[in-house]
Amino acid sequence: MRLTNLLFTTLLLFVSVFARSQKSNEFTVLQWNVWQEGTMVPGGYDAIVNEIVRLKPDFVTFSEVRNYNKTNFTARVCASLKEKGLSYYSFYSYDTGLLSKHPITDSLTVFPEKDDHGSIYRLTSSVNGHKVAVYTSHLDYLDCAYYNARGYDGSTWKEMPASVEEILKVNVASQRDDAIRLFITQAEKDLAAGYKVIIGGDFNEPSYRDWIEKNKDMYDHNGFVVPWTVTTLLEEAGFVDSYRKIYPNPLTHPGFTYPSDNPAKTPEKITWAPKADERDRIDFIFYKGEGLDARKAVIFGPKGSIVRAQRVQETSKDKFLLPLDVWPTDHKGLLVTFICK
């Protein structure tokens, strides 16, 4: 009996150690467009801090960092988290931002913000012995061609017709493809140096995997099948779309991140195209690197969206992580759990 108990105890100990080992190989990344630092919603900044306290992501890739009133937004967030007992690291950036639970070993401006055409920054760190390079991106919001597909000009948002040729012409007139090419060039250097690479961001452009033959007459795609540029470039370079890796079917899991409903705002304050169904997945986390894989992904935010200036509840099979209380933004976030093998 003693031998049996000893063997049983040893087995439990082994399972426990193995489970901790498995968990130690995991880390999380949160992509979050925080809508002008949460200033558009009463209590928005506190909500950003409180949600990070709840989720404790290893890395946060912020969009719409403005450093209002000559402040440093990510430094402020780190200070607020410190008051709540959490240590995070950051560095000064504008338009996008990065937080890390792990000490930052290097930082870099990859695509500097100029005239509000977006930005990309990068940090390097280490998670349980694995070298990681995490990039944050907020790509050009002008020439926003998925609006052209829905009958609106993607810069002025005036109503107008379009064709696939016109959509792609407008799309590459933006600086989104320029920014992502610079990212790919820098990321290849990081990969060659042994880093696992992750990029999170508000791309202001959908995925070509979401505008396909099977849904061309849904969501006001108006019959268009569009090979969107940024996601095409990323996948051609070997990067993996974490959400589509886990949920490959855009019909059952559309994964819409914009426009998110927000109870603090009237619908017309959220929409750019009040006569259209403008829902799309424009917030992404892509990755590449030996032994790196996306294990779980969840849409972070309310289940509600805005369609034709009306509030609707999503009925898809997407998994949602609902907010604690105040929702500070007009986007939904994306929380992805990675494993390093």
Side-chain angles (χ1 to χ4, degrees), residues 47-90:
I48 293 168
V49 172
N50 291 336
E51 291 290 3
I52 293 172
V53 169
R54 173 170 69 131
L55 301 179
K56 298 178 177 60
D58 288 87
F59 300 99
V60 183
T61 57
F62 283 127
S63 303
E64 298 198 15
V65 170
R66 301 304 183 194
N67 298 323
Y68 289 122
N69 302 315
K70 298 182 179 179
T71 61
N72 180 335
F73 175 70
T74 56
R76 277 201 300 137
V77 173
C78 286
S80 297
L81 293 170
K82 191 73 172 176
E83 291 175 359
K84 295 178 180 289
L86 294 181
S87 292
Y88 274 83
Y89 304 88
S90 70

mmCIF file of all heavy atoms in Angstrom, residues 47-90:
data_model
loop_
_atom_site.group_PDB
_atom_site.id
_atom_site.type_symbol
_atom_site.label_atom_id
_atom_site.label_comp_id
_atom_site.label_asym_id
_atom_site.label_seq_id
_atom_site.Cartn_x
_atom_site.Cartn_y
_atom_site.Cartn_z
ATOM 1 N N ALA A 47 -10.580 52.463 -17.308
ATOM 2 C CA ALA A 47 -11.020 51.159 -17.833
ATOM 3 C C ALA A 47 -9.867 50.434 -18.512
ATOM 4 O O ALA A 47 -9.718 49.206 -18.372
ATOM 5 C CB ALA A 47 -12.175 51.351 -18.809
ATOM 6 N N ILE A 48 -9.020 51.169 -19.238
ATOM 7 C CA ILE A 48 -7.845 50.556 -19.879
ATOM 8 C C ILE A 48 -6.947 49.923 -18.820
ATOM 9 O O ILE A 48 -6.535 48.765 -18.938
ATOM 10 C CB ILE A 48 -7.074 51.617 -20.691
ATOM 11 C CG1 ILE A 48 -7.904 52.082 -21.889
ATOM 12 C CG2 ILE A 48 -5.730 51.046 -21.159
ATOM 13 C CD1 ILE A 48 -7.358 53.327 -22.571
ATOM 14 N N VAL A 49 -6.672 50.675 -17.778
ATOM 15 C CA VAL A 49 -5.808 50.170 -16.708
ATOM 16 C C VAL A 49 -6.434 48.961 -16.027
ATOM 17 O O VAL A 49 -5.784 47.930 -15.814
ATOM 18 C CB VAL A 49 -5.520 51.288 -15.685
ATOM 19 C CG1 VAL A 49 -4.788 50.730 -14.462
ATOM 20 C CG2 VAL A 49 -4.707 52.408 -16.335
ATOM 21 N N ASN A 50 -7.716 49.070 -15.695
ATOM 22 C CA ASN A 50 -8.381 47.983 -14.967
ATOM 23 C C ASN A 50 -8.448 46.696 -15.785
ATOM 24 O O ASN A 50 -8.342 45.592 -15.224
ATOM 25 C CB ASN A 50 -9.789 48.422 -14.553
ATOM 26 C CG ASN A 50 -9.761 49.490 -13.477
ATOM 27 O OD1 ASN A 50 -8.783 49.612 -12.723
ATOM 28 N ND2 ASN A 50 -10.816 50.284 -13.388
ATOM 29 N N GLU A 51 -8.637 46.828 -17.088
ATOM 30 C CA GLU A 51 -8.681 45.617 -17.920
ATOM 31 C C GLU A 51 -7.308 44.960 -18.019
ATOM 32 O O GLU A 51 -7.192 43.736 -18.026
ATOM 33 C CB GLU A 51 -9.218 45.952 -19.317
ATOM 34 C CG GLU A 51 -10.687 46.335 -19.356
ATOM 35 C CD GLU A 51 -11.636 45.181 -19.065
ATOM 36 O OE1 GLU A 51 -11.173 44.054 -18.769
ATOM 37 O OE2 GLU A 51 -12.865 45.396 -19.145
ATOM 38 N N ILE A 52 -6.259 45.754 -18.081
ATOM 39 C CA ILE A 52 -4.916 45.172 -18.115
ATOM 40 C C ILE A 52 -4.606 44.476 -16.790
ATOM 41 O O ILE A 52 -4.003 43.400 -16.771
ATOM 42 C CB ILE A 52 -3.867 46.249 -18.444
ATOM 43 C CG1 ILE A 52 -4.070 46.737 -19.885
ATOM 44 C CG2 ILE A 52 -2.446 45.702 -18.279
ATOM 45 C CD1 ILE A 52 -3.224 47.926 -20.255
ATOM 46 N N VAL A 53 -5.059 45.063 -15.696
ATOM 47 C CA VAL A 53 -4.898 44.419 -14.384
ATOM 48 C C VAL A 53 -5.611 43.072 -14.374
ATOM 49 O O VAL A 53 -5.091 42.076 -13.861
ATOM 50 C CB VAL A 53 -5.437 45.326 -13.255
ATOM 51 C CG1 VAL A 53 -5.512 44.565 -11.936
ATOM 52 C CG2 VAL A 53 -4.554 46.559 -13.102
ATOM 53 N N ARG A 54 -6.782 43.021 -14.970
ATOM 54 C CA ARG A 54 -7.540 41.761 -14.996
ATOM 55 C C ARG A 54 -6.880 40.720 -15.898
ATOM 56 O O ARG A 54 -6.730 39.555 -15.519
ATOM 57 C CB ARG A 54 -8.965 42.009 -15.493
ATOM 58 C CG ARG A 54 -9.753 40.722 -15.718
ATOM 59 C CD ARG A 54 -11.217 40.938 -15.985
ATOM 60 N NE ARG A 54 -11.526 41.547 -17.237
ATOM 61 C CZ ARG A 54 -12.437 41.095 -18.104
ATOM 62 N NH1 ARG A 54 -13.105 39.996 -17.825
ATOM 63 N NH2 ARG A 54 -12.701 41.724 -19.215
ATOM 64 N N LEU A 55 -6.463 41.124 -17.087
ATOM 65 C CA LEU A 55 -5.978 40.169 -18.080
ATOM 66 C C LEU A 55 -4.506 39.818 -17.904
ATOM 67 O O LEU A 55 -4.074 38.738 -18.291
ATOM 68 C CB LEU A 55 -6.206 40.726 -19.489
ATOM 69 C CG LEU A 55 -7.652 41.050 -19.865
ATOM 70 C CD1 LEU A 55 -7.712 41.607 -21.275
ATOM 71 C CD2 LEU A 55 -8.540 39.827 -19.726
ATOM 72 N N LYS A 56 -3.735 40.781 -17.381
ATOM 73 C CA LYS A 56 -2.280 40.585 -17.177
ATOM 74 C C LYS A 56 -1.589 40.028 -18.424
ATOM 75 O O LYS A 56 -0.835 39.037 -18.353
ATOM 76 C CB LYS A 56 -2.025 39.677 -15.973
ATOM 77 C CG LYS A 56 -2.531 40.235 -14.660
ATOM 78 C CD LYS A 56 -2.301 39.269 -13.510
ATOM 79 C CE LYS A 56 -2.755 39.862 -12.193
ATOM 80 N NZ LYS A 56 -4.197 40.208 -12.158
ATOM 81 N N PRO A 57 -1.798 40.631 -19.581
ATOM 82 C CA PRO A 57 -1.126 40.131 -20.781
ATOM 83 C C PRO A 57 0.379 40.321 -20.686
ATOM 84 O O PRO A 57 0.861 41.271 -20.054
ATOM 85 C CB PRO A 57 -1.715 40.991 -21.900
ATOM 86 C CG PRO A 57 -2.138 42.257 -21.211
ATOM 87 C CD PRO A 57 -2.582 41.844 -19.849
ATOM 88 N N ASP A 58 1.121 39.444 -21.309
ATOM 89 C CA ASP A 58 2.575 39.594 -21.327
ATOM 90 C C ASP A 58 2.991 40.805 -22.151
ATOM 91 O O ASP A 58 3.944 41.502 -21.802
ATOM 92 C CB ASP A 58 3.226 38.332 -21.882
ATOM 93 C CG ASP A 58 3.141 37.173 -20.906
ATOM 94 O OD1 ASP A 58 2.136 36.458 -20.921
ATOM 95 O OD2 ASP A 58 4.088 37.012 -20.108
ATOM 96 N N PHE A 59 2.262 41.027 -23.245
ATOM 97 C CA PHE A 59 2.554 42.173 -24.109
ATOM 98 C C PHE A 59 1.244 42.819 -24.537
ATOM 99 O O PHE A 59 0.244 42.125 -24.747
ATOM 100 C CB PHE A 59 3.338 41.745 -25.353
ATOM 101 C CG PHE A 59 4.659 41.097 -25.042
ATOM 102 C CD1 PHE A 59 4.776 39.711 -25.048
ATOM 103 C CD2 PHE A 59 5.772 41.858 -24.739
ATOM 104 C CE1 PHE A 59 5.983 39.094 -24.751
ATOM 105 C CE2 PHE A 59 6.992 41.255 -24.444
ATOM 106 C CZ PHE A 59 7.093 39.875 -24.449
ATOM 107 N N VAL A 60 1.266 44.145 -24.673
ATOM 108 C CA VAL A 60 0.117 44.890 -25.183
ATOM 109 C C VAL A 60 0.582 45.717 -26.364
ATOM 110 O O VAL A 60 1.588 46.435 -26.279
ATOM 111 C CB VAL A 60 -0.497 45.818 -24.124
ATOM 112 C CG1 VAL A 60 -1.744 46.519 -24.691
ATOM 113 C CG2 VAL A 60 -0.850 45.053 -22.851
ATOM 114 N N THR A 61 -0.132 45.607 -27.485
ATOM 115 C CA THR A 61 0.122 46.453 -28.636
ATOM 116 C C THR A 61 -1.043 47.433 -28.752
ATOM 117 O O THR A 61 -2.158 47.055 -29.086
ATOM 118 C CB THR A 61 0.274 45.609 -29.920
ATOM 119 O OG1 THR A 61 -0.894 44.810 -30.128
ATOM 120 C CG2 THR A 61 1.479 44.679 -29.811
ATOM 121 N N PHE A 62 -0.763 48.693 -28.433
ATOM 122 C CA PHE A 62 -1.780 49.742 -28.441
ATOM 123 C C PHE A 62 -1.843 50.433 -29.800
ATOM 124 O O PHE A 62 -0.813 50.650 -30.449
ATOM 125 C CB PHE A 62 -1.436 50.831 -27.417
ATOM 126 C CG PHE A 62 -1.723 50.505 -25.986
ATOM 127 C CD1 PHE A 62 -0.722 50.630 -25.034
ATOM 128 C CD2 PHE A 62 -2.990 50.121 -25.570
ATOM 129 C CE1 PHE A 62 -0.972 50.376 -23.703
ATOM 130 C CE2 PHE A 62 -3.253 49.853 -24.236
ATOM 131 C CZ PHE A 62 -2.239 49.981 -23.296
ATOM 132 N N SER A 63 -3.048 50.834 -30.187
ATOM 133 C CA SER A 63 -3.241 51.767 -31.294
ATOM 134 C C SER A 63 -3.926 53.018 -30.759
ATOM 135 O O SER A 63 -4.714 52.943 -29.817
ATOM 136 C CB SER A 63 -4.110 51.145 -32.391
ATOM 137 O OG SER A 63 -3.547 49.941 -32.864
ATOM 138 N N GLU A 64 -3.636 54.150 -31.411
ATOM 139 C CA GLU A 64 -4.171 55.474 -31.067
ATOM 140 C C GLU A 64 -3.611 56.008 -29.749
ATOM 141 O O GLU A 64 -4.349 56.379 -28.838
ATOM 142 C CB GLU A 64 -5.701 55.491 -31.108
ATOM 143 C CG GLU A 64 -6.223 55.185 -32.508
ATOM 144 C CD GLU A 64 -7.669 55.584 -32.750
ATOM 145 O OE1 GLU A 64 -8.232 56.370 -31.945
ATOM 146 O OE2 GLU A 64 -8.237 55.109 -33.741
ATOM 147 N N VAL A 65 -2.298 56.040 -29.683
ATOM 148 C CA VAL A 65 -1.569 56.684 -28.583
ATOM 149 C C VAL A 65 -1.267 58.119 -29.018
ATOM 150 O O VAL A 65 -0.610 58.326 -30.037
ATOM 151 C CB VAL A 65 -0.266 55.926 -28.275
ATOM 152 C CG1 VAL A 65 0.620 56.720 -27.322
ATOM 153 C CG2 VAL A 65 -0.582 54.551 -27.705
ATOM 154 N N ARG A 66 -1.720 59.101 -28.264
ATOM 155 C CA ARG A 66 -1.599 60.496 -28.682
ATOM 156 C C ARG A 66 -0.741 61.351 -27.743
ATOM 157 O O ARG A 66 -0.400 62.478 -28.083
ATOM 158 C CB ARG A 66 -2.990 61.133 -28.808
ATOM 159 C CG ARG A 66 -3.903 60.434 -29.804
ATOM 160 C CD ARG A 66 -3.282 60.337 -31.176
ATOM 161 N NE ARG A 66 -4.166 59.728 -32.151
ATOM 162 C CZ ARG A 66 -3.767 59.282 -33.338
ATOM 163 N NH1 ARG A 66 -2.492 59.344 -33.682
ATOM 164 N NH2 ARG A 66 -4.625 58.747 -34.180
ATOM 165 N N ASN A 67 -0.425 60.831 -26.570
ATOM 166 C CA ASN A 67 0.395 61.594 -25.610
ATOM 167 C C ASN A 67 -0.153 63.008 -25.399
ATOM 168 O O ASN A 67 0.570 64.003 -25.493
ATOM 169 C CB ASN A 67 1.855 61.637 -26.077
ATOM 170 C CG ASN A 67 2.466 60.260 -26.159
ATOM 171 O OD1 ASN A 67 2.192 59.390 -25.335
ATOM 172 N ND2 ASN A 67 3.289 60.027 -27.174
ATOM 173 N N TYR A 68 -1.437 63.052 -25.115
ATOM 174 C CA TYR A 68 -2.119 64.333 -24.935
ATOM 175 C C TYR A 68 -1.490 65.149 -23.805
ATOM 176 O O TYR A 68 -0.990 64.600 -22.820
ATOM 177 C CB TYR A 68 -3.602 64.106 -24.637
ATOM 178 C CG TYR A 68 -4.392 63.612 -25.825
ATOM 179 C CD1 TYR A 68 -5.089 62.412 -25.786
ATOM 180 C CD2 TYR A 68 -4.440 64.349 -27.013
ATOM 181 C CE1 TYR A 68 -5.817 61.952 -26.877
ATOM 182 C CE2 TYR A 68 -5.170 63.902 -28.105
ATOM 183 C CZ TYR A 68 -5.848 62.719 -28.036
ATOM 184 O OH TYR A 68 -6.559 62.270 -29.127
ATOM 185 N N ASN A 69 -1.547 66.464 -23.969
ATOM 186 C CA ASN A 69 -1.054 67.413 -22.958
ATOM 187 C C ASN A 69 0.408 67.135 -22.584
ATOM 188 O O ASN A 69 0.803 67.246 -21.423
ATOM 189 C CB ASN A 69 -1.947 67.363 -21.703
ATOM 190 C CG ASN A 69 -3.388 67.685 -22.023
ATOM 191 O OD1 ASN A 69 -3.674 68.631 -22.749
ATOM 192 N ND2 ASN A 69 -4.306 66.881 -21.495
ATOM 193 N N LYS A 70 1.190 66.760 -23.596
ATOM 194 C CA LYS A 70 2.629 66.531 -23.426
ATOM 195 C C LYS A 70 2.941 65.435 -22.406
ATOM 196 O O LYS A 70 3.944 65.477 -21.699
ATOM 197 C CB LYS A 70 3.339 67.833 -23.050
ATOM 198 C CG LYS A 70 3.219 68.913 -24.123
ATOM 199 C CD LYS A 70 3.976 70.179 -23.729
ATOM 200 C CE LYS A 70 3.866 71.225 -24.838
ATOM 201 N NZ LYS A 70 4.578 72.484 -24.495
ATOM 202 N N THR A 71 2.061 64.448 -22.341
ATOM 203 C CA THR A 71 2.282 63.308 -21.455
ATOM 204 C C THR A 71 2.850 62.145 -22.252
ATOM 205 O O THR A 71 2.902 62.184 -23.482
ATOM 206 C CB THR A 71 0.975 62.863 -20.779
ATOM 207 O OG1 THR A 71 0.037 62.467 -21.797
ATOM 208 C CG2 THR A 71 0.372 63.986 -19.943
ATOM 209 N N ASN A 72 3.265 61.116 -21.566
ATOM 210 C CA ASN A 72 3.743 59.870 -22.168
ATOM 211 C C ASN A 72 2.731 58.795 -21.786
ATOM 212 O O ASN A 72 2.727 58.314 -20.647
ATOM 213 C CB ASN A 72 5.141 59.547 -21.644
ATOM 214 C CG ASN A 72 5.715 58.264 -22.228
ATOM 215 O OD1 ASN A 72 4.989 57.366 -22.655
ATOM 216 N ND2 ASN A 72 7.043 58.168 -22.226
ATOM 217 N N PHE A 73 1.864 58.422 -22.732
ATOM 218 C CA PHE A 73 0.742 57.550 -22.410
ATOM 219 C C PHE A 73 1.185 56.209 -21.830
ATOM 220 O O PHE A 73 0.689 55.773 -20.787
ATOM 221 C CB PHE A 73 -0.111 57.319 -23.658
ATOM 222 C CG PHE A 73 -1.224 56.332 -23.458
ATOM 223 C CD1 PHE A 73 -2.319 56.654 -22.663
ATOM 224 C CD2 PHE A 73 -1.187 55.072 -24.048
ATOM 225 C CE1 PHE A 73 -3.363 55.740 -22.475
ATOM 226 C CE2 PHE A 73 -2.211 54.162 -23.861
ATOM 227 C CZ PHE A 73 -3.297 54.500 -23.074
ATOM 228 N N THR A 74 2.125 55.532 -22.480
ATOM 229 C CA THR A 74 2.509 54.204 -21.992
ATOM 230 C C THR A 74 3.203 54.293 -20.632
ATOM 231 O O THR A 74 3.031 53.409 -19.787
ATOM 232 C CB THR A 74 3.400 53.465 -22.995
ATOM 233 O OG1 THR A 74 4.542 54.261 -23.307
ATOM 234 C CG2 THR A 74 2.635 53.155 -24.266
ATOM 235 N N ALA A 75 3.957 55.372 -20.407
ATOM 236 C CA ALA A 75 4.581 55.559 -19.088
ATOM 237 C C ALA A 75 3.511 55.788 -18.026
ATOM 238 O O ALA A 75 3.624 55.290 -16.894
ATOM 239 C CB ALA A 75 5.554 56.734 -19.121
ATOM 240 N N ARG A 76 2.466 56.538 -18.380
ATOM 241 C CA ARG A 76 1.351 56.763 -17.441
ATOM 242 C C ARG A 76 0.670 55.453 -17.104
ATOM 243 O O ARG A 76 0.329 55.191 -15.937
ATOM 244 C CB ARG A 76 0.327 57.728 -18.038
ATOM 245 C CG ARG A 76 0.641 59.200 -17.883
ATOM 246 C CD ARG A 76 -0.602 60.049 -18.027
ATOM 247 N NE ARG A 76 -1.225 59.892 -19.322
ATOM 248 C CZ ARG A 76 -2.535 59.780 -19.520
ATOM 249 N NH1 ARG A 76 -3.376 59.745 -18.495
ATOM 250 N NH2 ARG A 76 -3.028 59.689 -20.737
ATOM 251 N N VAL A 77 0.435 54.622 -18.126
ATOM 252 C CA VAL A 77 -0.217 53.333 -17.886
ATOM 253 C C VAL A 77 0.654 52.466 -16.986
ATOM 254 O O VAL A 77 0.164 51.838 -16.033
ATOM 255 C CB VAL A 77 -0.531 52.615 -19.209
ATOM 256 C CG1 VAL A 77 -1.054 51.208 -18.948
ATOM 257 C CG2 VAL A 77 -1.547 53.408 -20.023
ATOM 258 N N CYS A 78 1.959 52.445 -17.247
ATOM 259 C CA CYS A 78 2.868 51.660 -16.406
ATOM 260 C C CYS A 78 2.832 52.140 -14.956
ATOM 261 O O CYS A 78 2.837 51.319 -14.018
ATOM 262 C CB CYS A 78 4.296 51.744 -16.942
ATOM 263 S SG CYS A 78 4.568 50.783 -18.438
ATOM 264 N N ALA A 79 2.788 53.472 -14.763
ATOM 265 C CA ALA A 79 2.726 54.019 -13.406
ATOM 266 C C ALA A 79 1.421 53.637 -12.720
ATOM 267 O O ALA A 79 1.402 53.291 -11.529
ATOM 268 C CB ALA A 79 2.884 55.535 -13.452
ATOM 269 N N SER A 80 0.314 53.688 -13.472
ATOM 270 C CA SER A 80 -0.991 53.317 -12.905
ATOM 271 C C SER A 80 -1.024 51.833 -12.551
ATOM 272 O O SER A 80 -1.598 51.442 -11.527
ATOM 273 C CB SER A 80 -2.109 53.643 -13.896
ATOM 274 O OG SER A 80 -2.185 55.026 -14.150
ATOM 275 N N LEU A 81 -0.403 51.004 -13.387
ATOM 276 C CA LEU A 81 -0.342 49.574 -13.096
ATOM 277 C C LEU A 81 0.533 49.301 -11.878
ATOM 278 O O LEU A 81 0.231 48.415 -11.071
ATOM 279 C CB LEU A 81 0.179 48.811 -14.315
ATOM 280 C CG LEU A 81 -0.743 48.805 -15.538
ATOM 281 C CD1 LEU A 81 -0.013 48.232 -16.750
ATOM 282 C CD2 LEU A 81 -2.010 48.013 -15.265
ATOM 283 N N LYS A 82 1.605 50.069 -11.747
ATOM 284 C CA LYS A 82 2.495 49.922 -10.590
ATOM 285 C C LYS A 82 1.736 50.188 -9.296
ATOM 286 O O LYS A 82 1.936 49.496 -8.283
ATOM 287 C CB LYS A 82 3.663 50.899 -10.715
ATOM 288 C CG LYS A 82 4.785 50.662 -9.711
ATOM 289 C CD LYS A 82 5.583 49.424 -10.062
ATOM 290 C CE LYS A 82 6.810 49.277 -9.190
ATOM 291 N NZ LYS A 82 7.534 48.020 -9.470
ATOM 292 N N GLU A 83 0.857 51.184 -9.317
ATOM 293 C CA GLU A 83 0.046 51.488 -8.133
ATOM 294 C C GLU A 83 -0.853 50.317 -7.759
ATOM 295 O O GLU A 83 -1.266 50.188 -6.605
ATOM 296 C CB GLU A 83 -0.810 52.729 -8.385
ATOM 297 C CG GLU A 83 -0.006 54.019 -8.494
ATOM 298 C CD GLU A 83 -0.866 55.210 -8.874
ATOM 299 O OE1 GLU A 83 -2.091 55.021 -9.075
ATOM 300 O OE2 GLU A 83 -0.330 56.323 -8.971
ATOM 301 N N LYS A 84 -1.163 49.476 -8.731
ATOM 302 C CA LYS A 84 -2.021 48.312 -8.491
ATOM 303 C C LYS A 84 -1.206 47.029 -8.330
ATOM 304 O O LYS A 84 -1.755 45.926 -8.367
ATOM 305 C CB LYS A 84 -3.049 48.187 -9.625
ATOM 306 C CG LYS A 84 -4.017 49.363 -9.667
ATOM 307 C CD LYS A 84 -4.994 49.240 -10.824
ATOM 308 C CE LYS A 84 -5.956 50.421 -10.844
ATOM 309 N NZ LYS A 84 -6.921 50.383 -9.741
ATOM 310 N N GLY A 85 0.106 47.190 -8.188
ATOM 311 C CA GLY A 85 0.957 46.051 -7.873
ATOM 312 C C GLY A 85 1.508 45.287 -9.054
ATOM 313 O O GLY A 85 2.061 44.195 -8.879
ATOM 314 N N LEU A 86 1.390 45.845 -10.272
ATOM 315 C CA LEU A 86 1.895 45.160 -11.464
ATOM 316 C C LEU A 86 3.039 45.941 -12.081
ATOM 317 O O LEU A 86 2.964 47.167 -12.213
ATOM 318 C CB LEU A 86 0.782 45.003 -12.510
ATOM 319 C CG LEU A 86 -0.392 44.091 -12.155
ATOM 320 C CD1 LEU A 86 -1.378 44.053 -13.315
ATOM 321 C CD2 LEU A 86 0.085 42.686 -11.837
ATOM 322 N N SER A 87 4.092 45.247 -12.477
ATOM 323 C CA SER A 87 5.239 45.889 -13.112
ATOM 324 C C SER A 87 5.196 45.649 -14.621
ATOM 325 O O SER A 87 5.165 44.494 -15.076
ATOM 326 C CB SER A 87 6.548 45.342 -12.549
ATOM 327 O OG SER A 87 6.712 45.740 -11.199
ATOM 328 N N TYR A 88 5.175 46.726 -15.375
ATOM 329 C CA TYR A 88 5.256 46.675 -16.834
ATOM 330 C C TYR A 88 6.333 47.642 -17.300
ATOM 331 O O TYR A 88 6.665 48.613 -16.605
ATOM 332 C CB TYR A 88 3.913 47.046 -17.476
ATOM 333 C CG TYR A 88 2.960 45.883 -17.607
ATOM 334 C CD1 TYR A 88 2.166 45.494 -16.528
ATOM 335 C CD2 TYR A 88 2.840 45.177 -18.795
ATOM 336 C CE1 TYR A 88 1.289 44.425 -16.632
ATOM 337 C CE2 TYR A 88 1.966 44.104 -18.913
ATOM 338 C CZ TYR A 88 1.189 43.732 -17.833
ATOM 339 O OH TYR A 88 0.328 42.674 -17.946
ATOM 340 N N TYR A 89 6.837 47.383 -18.504
ATOM 341 C CA TYR A 89 7.883 48.208 -19.094
ATOM 342 C C TYR A 89 7.373 48.798 -20.403
ATOM 343 O O TYR A 89 6.532 48.202 -21.091
ATOM 344 C CB TYR A 89 9.140 47.369 -19.360
ATOM 345 C CG TYR A 89 9.679 46.672 -18.135
ATOM 346 C CD1 TYR A 89 9.216 45.400 -17.779
ATOM 347 C CD2 TYR A 89 10.639 47.275 -17.333
ATOM 348 C CE1 TYR A 89 9.700 44.750 -16.654
ATOM 349 C CE2 TYR A 89 11.131 46.630 -16.202
ATOM 350 C CZ TYR A 89 10.658 45.371 -15.873
ATOM 351 O OH TYR A 89 11.140 44.731 -14.752
ATOM 352 N N SER A 90 7.903 49.976 -20.759
ATOM 353 C CA SER A 90 7.519 50.603 -22.016
ATOM 354 C C SER A 90 8.626 51.545 -22.462
ATOM 355 O O SER A 90 9.657 51.677 -21.784
ATOM 356 C CB SER A 90 6.200 51.372 -21.853
ATOM 357 O OG SER A 90 6.389 52.517 -21.039
#
